[in-house]
Amino acid sequence: MALNLTINTSNPPLGALLAAEHVKASVQISVEEGKDTRLQVSDAIQFNDTNSISRYLARVAPALGLYGSNMMEQTEVDHWLEFSARRLCGQSGVSAALGELDKALSLRTFLVGQSVTLADLSVWASLKGHAEWPSQGKTCSHVNRWFFFLSSQVPFTAVGNKYASKKAPMTKSNTLVLAYHAATMDLRGLPTSQDMVRPTPQHSALHQAKQLRCTRIASECTQFPSAKHT
Amino acid sequence: MSMYQVKPVCGSLLKTDLPTCMYTLPNIHGQQGNSCTSDLCSQHALQNGEVDPAVKALEARQDEILRKLYELKAAVDGLAKTVTTPDADLDLTVSSSLSSQSPSSTTFTGVTNLDTLLGKDLGALRDIVINANPAQPPLTLLVLHSVLCQRYRVLSTVHVHSSVSNVPPQLLSCLGPRHADSYARQMFQLGFTLIWKDVPKLQMKFSVQNMCPIEGEANVARFLFKLLSPYPNDAALATLVDSWVDMAFFQLAEGSAKERAAVLRALNSALGRSPWLAGQEFSLADMACYCCVLQSGPASSTPSNVQRWLKSCENLGHFSPAKPFLQ
């Protein structure tokens, strides 16, 4: 069955478009421009919001693992879907959200697991469409690394070039930051996507031990909160 | 043996006047011949292999000290194990009397083995820690908790973080009475720790070594529900459940009156087609929407299909834990 995704051209749902771009090899899907965003699944069921469309597309192509590989990863993906829809879209409190995102990415290449998931797609899409990014995100080195790593991948460049410009025309500051990143990449060699995968600290034993210790301390603090009782 | 002997210079039974304030010592001059022979006897006995009782006592004391040292070493090893595996329980001698308890659940079938769902663990209790704001009690999670208790052996505890004060007593007892066997954590399959805390959004921390903290009641509810019953296999139905859950938490619970009315209309038309929101089966969609509909306001303007569905939810009997908070 061929799926038909209609998008609102004045506010393109980047996350859903990215999901469509990822699954198009395994599912027949066509994208049409219109007034409302919707994915008609059957006579009775249609989905209108980005997160539901992304979820459905990830589920019809389970081999890609876009919804995580187990129940815990699924829950993390759910967390980031809500995070991008609610925390990164509002105009206030974005810097706090970016701080949290930076912390989460400090020891990770992808947001969930070891490969790209809906979490990466939706958070990337929210940042891409956000007016204050990347001027707000200068201090978040981990988010910057992750964002430009994804931006260099084929599905992201395809969607970014085609749709993102429609919503937020490239401003001068955006161009400057992109140029800056291109320059820093040149210093390290060719700016190919392979080059941008820096050796992740999560594979190094020392960092793993460090992370484990930190998280353990954190977990003990939460599990035995009686010491903090009033 | 002796070359010559000196004869005693005085009589053997010499009476001397001794002071009574000092210890008395045997007279070394007195029974010279007698004492000499007895000493010889004992020396011979030792040479023949018999053990002096004083040495015996000393050896017993050493054994005792060594035994205590071994015990101490075992205890330290045990403590070291709890450090390397957080939550491991030292006292494994307590028999698992709870294992005979049979799970009984009427509506939710399918998932029984936590290991297949959550992966193997190394003897540590799987503790679901939830930080919630007492201003917004998470009704869906309370309902899910009570259903989890029917299925699994759950160790539930409620704490109050120092960031909040004056938590109402009904919130402190919202997870039911404290379990009698709560000292033996290894007898439980799941830990459910609710911490009333001043957090902007509800948080869940679970398996923090490999999972980020999960924010939002909707996402925590999805996680807990999956422990009870798998999502529908059909991609469209599963996504339909998720979209109803989003609608319940974002538009019903937090939206304006206009948004609520729109969701109620959508609920009404969906419930005209099928008995439950996601088809023929009761799902998380019904649970979330039920709690949010009742929480969001008076039921006077509720459309007819929704009213019928509210009664059906009521009949399932899962929602009693949420009742005290629906005023």
Side-chain angles (χ1 to χ4, degrees), chain B residues 242 293-294:
Chain B
D242 278 328
V293 165
L294 288 198

Side-chain angles (χ1 to χ4, degrees), chain B residues 181-202:
Chain B
D181 290 314
S182 54
Y183 61 92
R185 285 162 74 89
Q186 78 277 7
M187 283 155 59
F188 295 90
Q189 293 172 297
L190 271 182
F192 193 101
T193 307
L194 180 61
I195 302 171
W196 295 115
K197 186 176 176 180
D198 186 20
V199 281
K201 291 196 78 174
L202 184 127

Side-chain angles (χ1 to χ4, degrees), chain B residues 308-327:
Chain B
R308 176 180 53 74
W309 163 81
L310 286 175
K311 284 214 180 66
S312 317
C313 290
E314 200 84 14
N315 291 338
L316 289 176
H318 294 311
F319 294 97
S320 50
K323 280 279 142 53
F325 306 102
L326 292 171
Q327 300 307 331

Side-chain angles (χ1 to χ4, degrees), chain B:
Chain B
M1 159 177 186
S2 52
M3 291 179 71
Y4 56 87
Q5 254 185 326
V6 181
K7 291 204 168 163
V9 287
C10 56
S12 62
L13 288 167
L14 183 70
K15 283 280 175 198
T16 37
D17 202 13
L18 293 171
T20 53
C21 62
M22 296 170 73
Y23 294 106
T24 53
L25 282 175
N27 188 348
I28 55 164
H29 305 294
Q31 312 91 10
Q32 203 175 19
N34 289 343
S35 69
C36 185
T37 49
S38 75
D39 265 358
L40 279 177
C41 282
S42 70
Q43 269 172 18
H44 280 299
L46 285 178
Q47 277 162 5
N48 287 342
E50 276 182 35
V51 185
D52 190 21
V55 178
K56 264 188 188 166
L58 207 62
E59 278 180 351
R61 231 178 107 198
Q62 188 191 18
D63 285 346
E64 178 68 16
I65 289 172
L66 283 176
R67 193 185 58 78
K68 278 184 182 166
L69 276 174
Y70 278 121
E71 269 179 14
L72 200 64
K73 185 171 179 289
V76 170
D77 281 347
L79 285 173
K81 217 168 97 190
T82 55
V83 175
T84 46
T85 52
D87 247 14
D89 297 292
L90 257 185
D91 189 9
L92 294 171
T93 52
V94 185
S95 65
S96 54
S97 63
L98 278 176
S99 57
S100 56
Q101 193 178 313
S102 64
S104 61
S105 178
T106 48
T107 340
F108 302 102
T109 47
V111 185
T112 43
N113 193 353
L114 282 177
D115 281 345
T116 53
L117 274 181
L118 300 172
K120 283 262 177 226
D121 69 341
L122 298 165
L125 181 70
R126 299 180 172 96
D127 200 359
I128 300 168
V129 180
I130 293 173
N131 294 329
N133 197 321
Q136 298 140 0
L139 298 190
T140 338
L141 303 190
L142 297 184
V143 172
L144 280 164
H145 166 261
S146 82
V147 186
L148 277 171
C149 285
Q150 291 170 22
R151 170 68 62 85
Y152 300 110
R153 302 191 298 274
V154 184
L155 174 61
S156 332
T157 35
V158 182
H159 296 287
V160 181
H161 190 261
S162 56
S163 59
V164 292
S165 52
N166 299 328
V167 176
Q170 58 175 1
L171 289 182
L172 293 177
S173 60
C174 63
L175 297 185
R178 191 177 167 80
H179 204 284
D181 290 314
S182 54
Y183 61 92
R185 285 162 74 89
Q186 78 277 7
M187 283 155 59
F188 295 90
Q189 293 172 297
L190 271 182
F192 193 101
T193 307
L194 180 61
I195 302 171
W196 295 115
K197 186 176 176 180
D198 186 20
V199 281
K201 291 196 78 174
L202 184 127
Q203 270 183 341
M204 175 184 80
K205 293 184 183 177
F206 178 75
S207 172
V208 282
Q209 280 92 340
N210 37 35
M211 240 173 123
C212 64
I214 304 300
E215 268 189 1
E217 188 177 341
N219 300 323
V220 179
R222 287 184 179 109
F223 174 78
L224 294 181
F225 192 83
K226 283 177 196 161
L227 294 175
L228 289 165
S229 165
Y231 261 46
N233 278 326
D234 183 58
L237 277 185
T239 311
L240 191 62
V241 171
D242 278 328
S243 81
W244 278 121
V245 172
D246 278 347
M247 224 181 269
F249 284 105
F250 304 151
Q251 275 142 313
L252 273 179
E254 297 171 18
S256 60
K258 208 173 153 191
E259 277 180 296
R260 277 206 291 274
V263 176
L264 279 180
R265 277 198 303 277
L267 280 173
N268 198 43
S269 68
L271 291 167
R273 288 191 294 268
S274 56
W276 301 106
L277 285 174
Q280 303 301 314
E281 302 279 326
F282 179 80
S283 70
L284 181 63
D286 302 287
M287 195 180 272
C289 288
Y290 175 86
C291 289
C292 293
V293 165
L294 288 198
Q295 215 171 358
S296 67
S300 57
S301 60
T302 320
S304 59
N305 289 334
V306 178
Q307 272 175 2
R308 176 180 53 74
W309 163 81
L310 286 175
K311 284 214 180 66
S312 317
C313 290
E314 200 84 14
N315 291 338
L316 289 176
H318 294 311
F319 294 97
S320 50
K323 280 279 142 53
F325 306 102
L326 292 171
Q327 300 307 331

Side-chain angles (χ1 to χ4, degrees), chain A residues 105-125:
Chain A
L105 280 168
S106 63
L107 290 169
R108 288 172 168 271
T109 305
F110 299 101
L111 274 171
V112 179
Q114 303 289 338
S115 63
V116 74
T117 59
L118 287 187
D120 299 295
L121 305 190
S122 67
V123 175
W124 185 90

Side-chain angles (χ1 to χ4, degrees), chain A residues 1-159:
Chain A
M1 183 188 75
L3 288 168
N4 195 335
L5 172 65
T6 313
I7 60 159
N8 176 359
T9 39
S10 62
N11 185 11
L14 289 182
L17 286 165
L18 276 173
E21 195 72 21
H22 275 86
V23 302
K24 71 177 180 190
S26 36
V27 185
Q28 270 193 312
I29 180 162
S30 58
V31 178
E32 230 173 65
E33 300 194 348
K35 278 187 179 156
D36 294 311
T37 295
R38 72 166 186 278
L39 181 72
Q40 190 79 37
V41 175
S42 66
D43 293 338
I45 303 177
Q46 71 167 18
F47 300 116
N48 296 312
D49 63 301
T50 310
N51 281 356
S52 295
I53 295 173
S54 310
R55 279 190 170 111
Y56 178 76
L57 292 178
R59 280 176 172 139
V60 288
L64 297 175
L66 285 179
Y67 215 135
S69 56
N70 58 38
M71 198 184 129
M72 274 129 85
E73 287 188 10
Q74 278 174 23
T75 307
E76 282 186 276
V77 171
D78 284 333
H79 164 79
W80 290 116
L81 284 177
E82 187 180 324
F83 180 88
S84 60
R86 288 161 66 79
R87 301 282 303 278
L88 289 178
C89 284
Q91 295 304 307
S92 60
V94 179
S95 49
L98 279 176
E100 276 178 45
L101 185 61
D102 200 51
K103 216 168 94 191
L105 280 168
S106 63
L107 290 169
R108 288 172 168 271
T109 305
F110 299 101
L111 274 171
V112 179
Q114 303 289 338
S115 63
V116 74
T117 59
L118 287 187
D120 299 295
L121 305 190
S122 67
V123 175
W124 185 90
S126 295
L127 285 184
K128 184 85 179 168
H130 202 282
E132 288 175 40
W133 171 265
S135 60
Q136 272 269 350
K138 267 179 211 151
T139 51
C140 307
S141 57
H142 300 296
V143 183
N144 271 317
R145 159 181 54 82
W146 166 87
F147 185 83
F148 288 103
F149 162 53
L150 289 184
S151 302
S152 67
Q153 311 271 326
V154 175
F156 293 85
T157 43
V159 170

